Each structure stands twice: as structure tokens, then as C-alpha cells.
Amino acid sequence: MTVQIEENPVRTIVVGGGLAGLAAATYLARGGQRVTVLEKSHTLGGRASTDSPRGFALNRGVHALYSGGPASSVLAELGVRYSSGSPNHVLALDSRGLNPFPGSVGDLLRTNLLNAADKRELLGVFLRLSLIKPERLAHQSVAEWVAAIARRPMVRRLLASTARTYLYTTALDVASADAFVARLQQTMKHPIHYVDGGWQSLVDLLRSVAEAAGAQILTSAGVNTLQVENGRARGVRLHDGRRLSATSIVVAATPEDALRLLPADAAPRLQAAVAEALPVHVACLDVALSRLPAPRQPIVFDLERPRFLTVQSEFARLAPSGGAVLHAFLQHDPRQPVDARWAQSELEAFVDQVQPGWQSVAVERRFLPHMLAAGCLPLAASNGLQGRIGHRSQDVSNVFFAGDWVGPHGYLVDATLASARESARQVLRAGTDQRSALRAA
Ligand SMILES: Cc1cc2nc3c(=O)[nH]c(=O)nc-3n(C[C@H](O)[C@H](O)[C@H](O)COP(=O)(O)OP(=O)(O)OC[C@H]3O[C@@H](n4cnc5c(N)ncnc54)[C@H](O)[C@@H]3O)c2cc1C
């Protein structure tokens, strides 16, 4: 029997117009799919959006692009070419004050933070790092790994402060070491990028490549629910009552949003996975300054409290001439409640210490008490990065996920873009398999 195949019969709906949704849509459109992106907000970008008060570019919380990983590879593949600067002159704060942060061999030799024995041990850690296979550490916590690789208290404190900052959490007793060690290896080989114009530049560039590939992008188009029948999604219902049919759906939103979209009885496995996950939240203080009080102190790791600060405008185009953009953030333990007022005072006190007088030159300041930095913390108890949820729904066969809580590769936006690429591939493969089956029938 010959089955007539329509030339362009399939439509994939992508729910969410953040970086994951835009990247997935581009891959899908380039793969020949008819794609519609539905974004509930009136603008694109989600957590990667940048606001521009008075000519400053303020990301929503500190945003550093770790180059050399899956995010770089996806952006390059999609033809997203951005300009950026890389941070240097990094300091560490402890009770003795500010000292060079020993993140490179040069700074290691220069810093007064460590004595000779500490320096020898840290150098040994640097040398051993490149030989480690991160995936072998999936069942070890960061705290266990740090205790195993370093004996000297000061070296352990440095590694713990770096881990808190890279993983955006203080829960080092449960976070898996694979994510941290992979990130350390990445930053030892590849620079960190502070993106000119903020991450909105990435959003805008991704939008252009998605549209150039043929993706349709709708904003103010919130999806109320996925319509599921007999284990397959038939389409979506929007908040305004419209219904759109689809052959596949990519949910490129946070885990909580994904749960809201899938009816409770249709997605028991997703519910169980999300219930077990630890989402990673941070408190952020974003500040625009008419001038920077202490230009020689642009980036500071706090060794004693879970805080980090960076003046990204010293390295990237983010502020009008003479002005500065500063981001500070406080890491939490996702298992503990956080008092927002306390978090704000912790961050303000930190900025007082590093950039004294900032309050009198602040032209814009924004405190964001509870920002979702990553949808799920990789845990030693559940196989680290490998233990994150898979790309294809186990509940609804033609639903796929993308975001920083999905798939085994990378952390933060590395996971976001790696999962967007892989989910798009799986949608395309599923479509090809379906068409082959129809042709053979
Ligand atoms: C404070 C902070 C700091 C960060 N720092 C870094 C960093 O330094 N380095 C790094 O690599 N990463 C960092 N990240 C992580 C990075 O921002 C995210 O990984 C990335 O932006 C996630 O993109 P996404 O598209 O998966 O999700 P989101 O950006 O959350 O986008 C999801 C989109 O889906 C939309 N949506 C949700 N529900 C619906 C619905 N029902 N219908 C339609 N649309 C819907 C939302 O409006 C949103 O636009 C940081 C994140 C935060 C919050």
C-alpha cells in the first residue's frame, strides 16, 4: 500500500522562547521541520534577557559564558557570532583583605593568600586536574572530592569557594563532583566571555538565525496545557483559548513550567523526577554606577561567605562611557529557606567592602532574591550529570525537553544549549522513523 506523504505535514511546537527554545527551533527548521515557537512573555530571552535602563545593559544576575563547551559549539554551529571580553585581575577576600585569586600559575606565585606549602599543594591540584575524567566522579560529592584532593585548609577553602561560584550553590555535600571538575577543566583551557551588550545579544542573534531558517516565533503566546491523548500530545491550548496541533512538542521551559503544562495524570514520571530534583536559586544584586569607586577590584571571590562579585563592564561593552555595571550574587543551599532581607544585606555589605561608596554613585539597582540559575543541581546520589532527566519524555512519546535541567552534558547554559541541540535531533529522528514506517506500510 502506498501512503501519500504530505510535503510539509509536520509542525513542531516549541514552548518557550529562551535560549533553549530559540536554539532548538533553529535546528528543527534547518532540519526541514515547520516550527512554531510560543513564548508567553511579550519579549524573548527568558532568564537570558538583558534590561537597558539609562543606556546600561543589565543582565538578570551575573551571566558569564564559559567558552569551549557545548554552548560555544552550538552557537558556532548556528552562526551566532557575538563579541565579548574576558575577565582578569581576579581577587579573593578573606579576613586579611583582598589578595590575587590564584586561578593561574602567575597569580598563584604572586598571591599572599597562600604560604609556600599551600602553593605547592594547589600547583599539584592544577597538574592533576587535566588527567581526571570528570564522569568518574559522578557519584562523589564536591565536598568529598575537595577533601580527597587537598589536605591544606586554605587550599580546600579556595576550591570550595570556586565550586560554590561555578555551581551557584553552597550544597557541596550533595552536588556531584563531575560538574565542578568539568567546569574547572573548561576554564583552565578556555576563557570566560562577558558578552558585549549582555546576553540579550545572544537572544537577538539566535532569534535572527531561527527566523532566517524559517521558524515562526510568536510572543505573548502563553501555552496553558499540552493536549495529551493515549500517551501522545496532539497539540497545545493557549491561554487565549486557541488550539494548535503538532506532531511533536519541545518544552523549553523550567521544570516547574513543564509540570504545569503536562496534565498531572499524563506525566507521572516527570512529576517524580521534578520532585526529587534540587533547583538552584541565587540572590542577585545588579547595579549600574555612574563611576566605579575601586577600578582595581573588579572581580572578587569571597572565601568566607558564599558571595561573588564582578564588574563586567570593565571587560565588556555594558555601560555608557565612565559608567559601570556590577553584579553580585549570594549562593544558597536549596534545602534551606532563605530570608530575602538578610540576603540583600549580605550582598550590600559585600559591595560596600569591595566598592566603598557605590551607593552614592548608583544610578540603578535591582535586587532579585530568588533567581533560578539552574533547574536542577547534579547530585552525587543520582549519578551526577548523567542522572538529569532525559531529552524525550518517558510519559508522552512525542514530547521532548530542553533546558539546564535536561541531558547529561554541561552545566547552566552549556546544558541548555546541548539539550536544545539533542532534543531537536531526536525530534527529527523520530519524524524520519515515522515517515519510513509509513512508506514501508
Ligand atoms: C541569576 C542567573 C545567573 C546565571 N548565570 C549564568 C552564567 O554565568 N553562565 C551560564 O552558563 N548560565 C547562567 N545562567 C543560566 C542561564 O541563564 C540559563 O541556563 C538559560 O538562560 C536558560 O534558558 P532556557 O531557554 O532553558 O530557559 P528560560 O530562560 O527560563 O526560558 C524559558 C522561556 O519559556 C517561557 N515559558 C515558560 N512557560 C511558558 C508557557 N506556558 N508558554 C509559553 N512560554 C513559556 C518563559 O517565559 C521563558 O521565556 C544564569 C541564570 C540565572 C537566573
Side-chain angles (χ1 to χ4, degrees), residues 168-169 256 279-283 330-334 369-374:
Y168 284 67
T169 186
E256 290 72 21
V280 180
H281 289 96
V282 288
L330 182 74
Q331 304 110 33
H332 305 314
D333 183 331
H370 199 62
M371 289 295 287
L372 182 72

Side-chain angles (χ1 to χ4, degrees), residues 254-310:
T254 62
E256 290 72 21
D257 287 332
L259 272 187
R260 272 193 285 274
L261 288 166
L262 278 153
D265 54 338
R269 292 201 183 88
L270 178 68
Q271 287 218 312
V274 174
E276 272 176 30
L278 279 185
V280 180
H281 289 96
V282 288
C284 305
L285 181 62
D286 304 332
V287 188
L289 301 164
S290 57
R291 72 175 173 79
L292 186 62
R296 296 178 62 76
Q297 297 173 181
I299 303 179
V300 178
F301 283 82
D302 191 337
L303 299 190
E304 300 192 333
R305 303 171 96 89
R307 304 181 293 196
F308 174 81
L309 172 158
T310 172

Side-chain angles (χ1 to χ4, degrees), residues 19-20 23 27 47 63-76 82 166-168 179-180 182-187 190-193 199 202 373-374 385 388 391 402-422:
L19 294 177
Y27 279 111
R47 286 173 281 151
H63 272 82
L65 188 57
Y66 295 86
S67 73
S72 290
S73 138
V74 167
L75 293 172
Y82 59 91
Y166 282 7
L167 298 185
Y168 284 67
F180 175 48
R183 186 63 102 205
L184 276 177
Q185 291 176 338
Q186 192 177 343
T187 51
H190 304 279
I192 288 172
H193 291 169
W199 278 33
L202 304 178
L385 292 168
R388 283 190 306 223
H391 300 95
D404 47 28
W405 50 290
V406 181
H409 300 297
Y411 191 55
L412 298 171
V413 84
D414 274 329
T416 299
L417 293 180
S419 60
R421 172 167 59 189
E422 183 53 30

Side-chain angles (χ1 to χ4, degrees), residues 231-249:
R232 278 187 74 77
R234 306 288 160 194
V236 300
R237 183 155 52 81
L238 276 71
H239 287 299
D240 61 12
R242 272 182 296 164
R243 287 163 199 265
L244 297 178
S245 63
T247 45
S248 309
I249 297 177

Side-chain angles (χ1 to χ4, degrees), residues 121-135:
E121 184 171 82
L122 188 57
L123 198 56
V125 174
F126 282 168
L127 293 172
R128 283 159 71 190
L129 253 180
S130 59
L131 304 173
I132 299 173
K133 295 207 180 322
E135 57 279 11

